[in-house]
Amino acid sequence: MGYPDTFEGFMVQSQDDWTNFKKQEFKPKKFQERDIDIEIECCGVCGSDVHTINGGWGGAPMPLCVGHEVIGKAVKVGDGVTTVKVGDRVGVGAQIWSCLECKPCKTNNENYCPKKIDTYGAPYPEEMGGVIAQGGYASHIRAHEYFTFKIPDDIPSAEAAPMMCAGLTTYSPLVRAGVGPGKKVAIVGVGGLGMYAIMWANAMGAEVYVLSHSPRKEKSAKELGAKEFISTVDKDWDKPWALTFNFMLNTADATDQFDMTAYLGTLDINGQMHHVGLPDRALPEIKAQMFATNGCSMGGSHIGSRPEMFQMLKLASEKKLKPIIETVPISKDGCKKAVLGVSNNEVRYRYTLTDFDKAFPNR
């Protein structure tokens, strides 16, 4: 049928065959007064995409088009839309709807709305069409206005795309923790999330320390803004850093292998270890006594809010922050290359799928 009745995307048919993408049509949600149709220009490749299609996070509805780091052009806006007009360059992240009426929604915590709908793999209620939300490895995406963000002119699309999830996921906990001048912040991991965490914390004025089991990443970490690089493969690496860090943001995907006593012991009194890396496997065994020696705590978070998205984009624009990304033309083979590169930790440090006009010439 084609747009606007159907969109076209590169979809995985089975978690048992998760690197095999097939281009096919799918039906979007019902178009409503606050919806925006976006013709996609590029889309970042998130670790969430891989965890979802390979079954690491459990079952998922199939066939599925993943991708929640979307940049494109608004081609249709509903009658109730006031913040975006046709032709605007906009982005969509990992959340595409919330009720906007509950306590979290009314306190700029819509990312914790009990009724929230993720950008892909989540069911829409019947009144919205009853379909499964499909993501950004596609010709178009249909998004609610509140979860559609105008992109500053000076941020290139390929760089803006990963900010829609990886950027916000790391920015939000840093700003909520009050990171800034006078604070010592540890970033665990130098990857698709850690890259942004280092950039943001440095731009906020904090002293940034990177904890990593990959010594080869020291140069990148310091280029991104780290003051010190601490190799966690060294024996007793934690001892010199006891009671040092006010806040620790864990972006790693291998937390199940951590010596938690060592990591928690580097926190200052009442410091927090905050998790945004969400591995397939459970955390190591944790005893209550681990928190007693310095009054530390652990927490986690889910993406961020609309105001935080705009604050993050403003910071990136004003500070002229440049992430380290690789672009891959979208295609059946391109999608396979990208998800395998993320799964095998080969990407430096984020992929953005591009060339959507060539892949979807008839949209």
Side-chain angles (χ1 to χ4, degrees):
M1 295 175 66
Y3 178 81
D5 300 305
T6 60
F7 300 167
E8 193 175 21
F10 289 95
M11 307 182 78
V12 170
Q13 310 299 307
S14 166
Q15 290 180 320
D16 294 329
D17 193 19
W18 61 274
T19 63
N20 185 12
F21 290 81
K22 177 184 176 183
K23 189 162 73 167
Q24 65 187 79
E25 291 188 343
F26 61 85
K27 188 175 177 60
K29 73 175 287 292
K30 177 184 176 183
F31 191 86
Q32 296 174 291
E33 66 172 4
R34 294 194 67 188
D35 283 344
I36 299 168
D37 279 358
I38 300 161
E39 186 178 274
I40 300 176
E41 176 187 351
C42 59
C43 183
V45 178
C46 185
S48 303
D49 302 347
V50 176
H51 290 296
T52 299
I53 59 177
N54 71 8
W57 285 350
M62 294 287 164
L64 186 64
C65 180
V66 292
H68 57 204
E69 297 181 334
V70 178
I71 304 294
K73 178 176 66 176
V75 293
K76 180 181 179 182
V77 301
D79 292 340
V81 172
T82 60
T83 59
V84 171
K85 64 182 184 300
V86 170
D88 284 345
R89 187 173 61 124
V90 295
V92 174
Q95 183 177 356
I96 208 156
W97 188 88
S98 75
C99 75
L100 300 180
E101 296 176 351
C102 66
K103 179 180 176 181
C105 285
K106 289 185 178 296
T107 56
N108 290 328
N109 288 295
E110 68 278 359
N111 44 314
Y112 300 110
C113 173
K115 297 180 180 179
K116 69 180 182 296
I117 297 176
D118 294 331
T119 297
Y120 60 75
Y124 279 105
E126 286 301 319
E127 62 267 25
M128 297 185 195
V131 299
I132 298 296
Q134 303 291 348
Y137 297 9
S139 60
H140 301 80
I141 195 165
R142 181 167 291 167
H144 188 282
E145 169 186 24
Y146 198 79
F147 299 94
T148 304
F149 313 100
K150 290 181 68 173
I151 305 300
D153 292 340
D154 57 352
I155 303 179
S157 295
E159 296 178 9
M163 293 183 191
M164 297 296 100
C165 178
L168 183 61
T169 294
T170 49
Y171 178 85
S172 175
L174 290 168
V175 76
R176 293 190 186 205
V179 166
K183 296 294 179 90
K184 293 184 177 180
V185 177
I187 306 300
V188 183
V190 185
L193 290 172
M195 168 182 66
Y196 283 105
I198 298 165
M199 283 172 43
W200 302 145
N202 181 60
M204 291 172 181
E207 245 179 53
V208 183
Y209 299 76
V210 167
L211 280 55
S212 173
H213 70 284
S214 302
R216 71 184 187 279
K217 295 182 178 180
E218 179 174 359
K219 183 174 183 290
S220 293
K222 290 186 174 178
E223 287 173 352
L224 290 163
K227 177 182 179 181
E228 297 278 355
F229 182 91
I230 302 166
S231 174
T232 57
V233 297
D234 295 342
K235 185 176 177 5
D236 295 330
W237 66 267
D238 55 305
K239 303 303 184 192
W241 304 100
L243 299 173
T244 297
F245 306 121
N246 305 111
F247 187 71
M248 179 183 293
L249 188 61
N250 177 24
T251 73
D253 200 28
T255 311
D256 60 297
Q257 301 171 35
F258 283 10
D259 177 352
M260 295 303 293
T261 300
Y263 283 85
L264 294 173
T266 65
L267 291 168
D268 198 4
I269 306 303
N270 298 135
Q272 185 189 66
M273 183 180 189
H274 190 97
H275 300 273
V276 291
L278 304 176
D280 296 345
R281 296 170 295 277
L283 294 174
E285 182 180 58
I286 294 173
K287 294 183 178 180
Q289 291 92 323
M290 292 180 181
F291 304 106
T293 56
N294 54 359
C296 67
S297 61
M298 288 207 310
S301 55
H302 174 64
I303 52 176
S305 69
R306 179 179 173 88
E308 287 166 342
M309 179 72 86
F310 285 119
Q311 292 165 14
M312 176 199 73
L313 290 170
K314 182 180 179 183
L315 180 67
S317 174
E318 290 181 348
K319 298 282 188 176
K320 302 189 184 309
L321 301 178
K322 306 289 280 186
I324 303 170
I325 63 166
E326 299 180 45
T327 59
V328 177
I330 190 169
S331 66
K332 183 178 184 293
D333 291 338
C335 291
K336 179 177 181 177
K337 173 186 175 179
V339 297
L340 279 174
V342 172
S343 179
N344 297 332
N345 195 27
E346 295 170 350
V347 58
R348 295 293 177 269
Y349 286 103
R350 205 77 178 180
Y351 286 126
T352 299
L353 296 170
T354 59
D355 293 354
F356 278 61
D357 282 341
K358 292 181 182 177
F360 306 106
N362 300 318
R363 55 183 177 172

